[in-house]
Amino acid sequence: MKKIFIQAIIFCILLLVQAGTLAQKTIRLINNWDYLRQDVGSIYEVIRPAEKGAPETLPLWQQVSLPHCVNATDAVDPDINYYQGAAWYRTQLDIQNPYANGRTLLHFEGAGQKTKVYVYDQLVAEHVGGYDEWTVDITDAVMAFKKTAVFQKQFNNKIPIAIRTDNSRDVEMIPSNLSDFNLYGGIYRYLNLVYTPAVSVEKLFALATVDKEGKNAKLHVTAKLYNPATLNDAVIKVNLIDPSGKIIQHAEKKLNDLQGTIDICNFEIKSPQLWSVEKPTLYKVALTITTTEGTFTQTENTGFRNFEFLKQGPFMLNGKRLLLQGTHRHEDHAGVGAAMTEEMMRSEMLQMKDMGVNFIRLGHYQQSRIILNLCDSLGILVWEEIPWCRGGLGGDGYKAQAKRMLTNVIGQHYNHPAIIVWGLGNENDWPGDFPEFDKEKIRAFMTTLNQLAHQLDSSRKTAIRRCDFCKDIVDVYSPSIWAGWYRGIYTDYKDVSKTEFDKVDRFLHVEWGGDSHAGRHSENPDNALLNIKGGQSADERAGDASLIGGAARVSKDGDWSESYICNLMDWHLKEQETMPWLTGTAQWAFKDFSTPIRPDNPVPYMNQKGVVTRDGKPKEAFYVFQSYWSAKPMAHIYGHTWPVRWGNESEAKMIKVYSNCDEAELFVNGKSVGVKKRNSQDFPAAGLRWQVVLNKGMNHVKVMAKKEKIIVEDAIDFQYQTEKWDKPAKLVFEKLSEANGIVVLQVKLFDNKNIQCLDAANWVRFGLVGDGKLIDNMGTPDGSRYVQMYNGRAIIKVQTAGGKNVVSVQSTGLPTAFINCNE
């Protein structure tokens, strides 16, 4: 298992290194950055000379590395609004372009949300949009600065670069601040210093097509050159390289006009190796351009696949039906916000693939090129969209930004075989940013975007989610169906989906599921359904996401337990196996993520619909999906984060096992309680459930599951409490562990008879006095200083700094408790 995982990582590293070479020389600018989270009076404040301790050094800057997110921690701070405003970054670069008459570029993979770039005091570029890539040519500004006296005297032959980012609220930008995610600030993706010769490739387009039978493929190569010196003559060579590294096609062309988009060559390939979700085979296109000023080579991955959304039918890949088994992703992670490193991204995508994902909707904006490269290499189909999300429709600048971002995402991600859908918007039926909400104007602009997408890329489909009055405009439509969460009960799912399916030509259901507070479990998770009316699961309305008011719904009236969400997802997945007309779905979302519009959730400012927590720890629901979607044999006993169950003595309790194996045998306290056969239609847990009488006190449960000749095992230990508790009376601290300067503390809630209150969901607030600090503002149940308890307990971690620390915990109506971390 470990060996396979390591091999997968090495495989992905090799593919990423080979994919999308930017230029002859590219340097990631990671270290030696100063950062200021406020605005300045002028650019001169950023670059002026100052002696240490002098007032000219103010305001004080701090050192950071890139990528860096302005809102890495305050996005989930329970006590403040997250910062939305200007921030500055500065560094000094040693510019040594190896090309005579070459160009020196800064390539931004993403910065939010408005950006200005300065060389010394010269503004060289501005960009509006937080998610698309962009490039700044600083060649002329660098040459001009090298002629100044301060180049040597003040900056020691280095080039001062200053970058201002700004995520201030701006109603005339997309996405809307009504969106259910943070509009982060900062240089939160990689920034690259790029050296090129005088002529280079700005964009390489490789249109790969193949028939349904996979017998005849074509590759059409075009390119747009970057040629600011307006040279006229060049020789272009193109190699098509197969997955084994062999050149199988070659073309050469002399050019005497290097302007505009250039049609370079067409290749025909017989019986190509196809790209699929099981075997994502990649070819390479290597384009070399040579002029009198030098040679430049650009390499891109491509793949041959044929896909089709059948009208009133399922999805087809390479001539065969494929059920899209999907999820969603936001660029967001505990402790760093949007500033995820390549290693973090790779780990997350490998985790998705391990769960069995073959499709992802990237919500709700263009994402890092690293993610798209991983989708290509792992075999994960993609719906990628622009951030026209909620609020209505703005003016000319607003529309221009949306069209520009659509043009950029298609142009920048055109060659990825994983992409099948360009998303044009999300929840565009949601008003609120403007006095006017005109559906006809929204329809007209949606039509403009749809036409633009097809003009730029006729090989892929367009789509939107949740805007019924525009559903006839795009190729593929997803309504809003939250069966068993925002509306209705989860057993509505199949009938409601079929009703919505019949209303459009091509149906794809994205966004379903519900929130769960990791570590919270229930002996009776479906009780909330008793007061909820069925048959309304497609009737989501404004306010349904609120925890206050409105009709009865699980999102407001349920317990937010992992137990309930596992049942909901189990039901959806078993039903999907009986829907032959279904294209597929995408559960929302893979990982818990931050949001400014949910301050009252059990972890404040967190959308907790993930199947893993914000720091990537799997919840129980992860294994529900794995039991349906993964081919690798697995077995998981429900309750790994449920240390104490409760009930009456001699009461039979259900033990569930999620497994994709053919059969499983359960052992309780060393004794077999029988073998069960897996049947996906036997709800819950596909029939792998046992009614067991547990011992009072400690219990040990083990499962052995078999798939053909392979046997997999899982085991858990937990307490069984039969004592009944009264109302909460006191908080009790305990130290769980201490290692590497980190202390893990747990607080439990007891009644006045010292019986743990196992269903308690009280809010608790942690504090610290001492040399160390709480590890909080992580957006996780064990990384938040203000959090709802899960089954009468809560965990917090302390970074001790090698000193003395006393931690407190408060809860309304209860005495404050303390613990000395040094004892």
Side-chain angles (χ1 to χ4, degrees), residues 522-597:
S522 175
E523 297 287 354
N524 300 289
D526 286 358
N527 279 355
L529 297 176
L530 299 177
N531 299 318
I532 295 172
K533 185 178 180 180
Q536 296 183 336
S537 296
D539 191 28
E540 184 191 354
R541 294 191 292 267
D544 281 352
S546 172
L547 300 181
I548 302 169
R553 55 192 183 276
V554 179
S555 60
K556 177 175 72 76
D557 305 305
D559 59 16
W560 285 47
S561 69
E562 294 195 56
S563 314
Y564 175 78
I565 286 302
C566 282
N567 283 350
L568 180 151
M569 291 177 172
D570 192 357
W571 183 270
H572 278 68
L573 292 169
K574 76 102 175 172
E575 291 287 74
Q576 287 168 18
E577 293 192 351
T578 67
M579 300 158 71
W581 41 268
L582 183 65
T583 53
T585 67
Q587 167 269 342
W588 181 268
F590 182 71
K591 185 168 67 176
D592 290 351
F593 62 93
S594 68
T595 168
I597 67 170

Side-chain angles (χ1 to χ4, degrees), residues 307-378:
F307 75 88
E308 184 179 6
F309 287 87
L310 294 180
K311 186 174 181 179
Q312 288 285 297
F315 176 79
M316 310 291 286
L317 182 65
N318 299 328
K320 299 178 181 178
R321 188 211 173 188
L322 176 70
L323 180 64
L324 296 175
Q325 299 170 168
T327 188
H328 288 77
R329 178 183 189 271
H330 267 297
E331 283 191 337
D332 186 71
H333 194 80
V336 298
M340 294 181 67
T341 64
E342 185 169 351
E343 291 72 23
M344 289 176 180
M345 288 186 255
R346 183 182 301 114
S347 177
E348 182 178 336
M349 298 306 294
L350 285 169
Q351 196 176 23
M352 288 185 196
K353 193 66 178 180
D354 187 50
M355 192 176 81
V357 166
N358 66 21
F359 169 67
I360 188 170
R361 176 176 175 231
L362 300 176
H364 294 291
Y365 39 79
Q366 178 176 335
Q367 297 200 6
S368 167
R369 59 171 44 217
I370 296 168
I371 293 298
L372 275 300
N373 288 337
L374 283 162
C375 289
D376 287 343
S377 62
L378 292 171

Side-chain angles (χ1 to χ4, degrees), residues 35-40 68-71 82-89 108 110-118 125-131 134 162-171 173-175 177 182-188 401:
Y35 164 67
L36 180 68
R37 196 175 85 159
Q38 66 175 70
D39 212 345
V40 295
H68 178 268
C69 181
V70 170
N71 311 106
Y82 82 108
Y83 178 77
Q84 293 182 276
W88 285 84
Y89 298 82
F108 288 79
Q113 297 284 319
K114 292 179 282 190
T115 310
K116 294 182 178 181
V117 181
Y118 294 83
E126 298 183 65
H127 182 79
V128 176
Y131 312 101
W134 51 288
I163 301 168
R164 182 186 188 269
T165 66
D166 187 359
N167 67 331
S168 297
R169 300 174 76 91
D170 187 341
V171 75
M173 283 182 62
I174 60 171
N177 276 282
N182 291 89
L183 277 62
Y184 284 127
I187 308 173
Y188 45 63
Q401 183 195 353

Side-chain angles (χ1 to χ4, degrees), residues 653-721:
K653 287 291 180 179
M654 183 182 293
I655 305 288
K656 294 186 291 186
V657 173
Y658 297 113
S659 177
N660 57 7
C661 293
D662 302 322
E663 62 181 40
E665 184 174 9
L666 192 73
F667 299 85
V668 178
N669 298 319
K671 296 180 180 179
S672 174
V673 292
V675 176
K676 296 285 182 91
K677 300 284 187 181
R678 186 181 192 277
N679 173 8
S680 66
Q681 297 309 297
D682 187 357
F683 176 84
L688 301 180
R689 61 185 185 274
W690 291 259
Q691 293 293 130
V692 175
V693 175
L694 300 170
N695 293 339
K696 183 178 179 180
M698 185 60 70
N699 289 267
H700 177 75
V701 177
K702 174 183 175 181
V703 66
M704 296 180 66
K706 185 176 181 182
K707 190 170 188 176
E708 296 177 348
K709 295 182 179 180
I710 299 174
I711 296 175
V712 291
E713 300 181 7
D714 189 34
I716 60 172
D717 296 290
F718 58 89
Q719 296 277 346
Y720 183 60
Q721 178 177 307

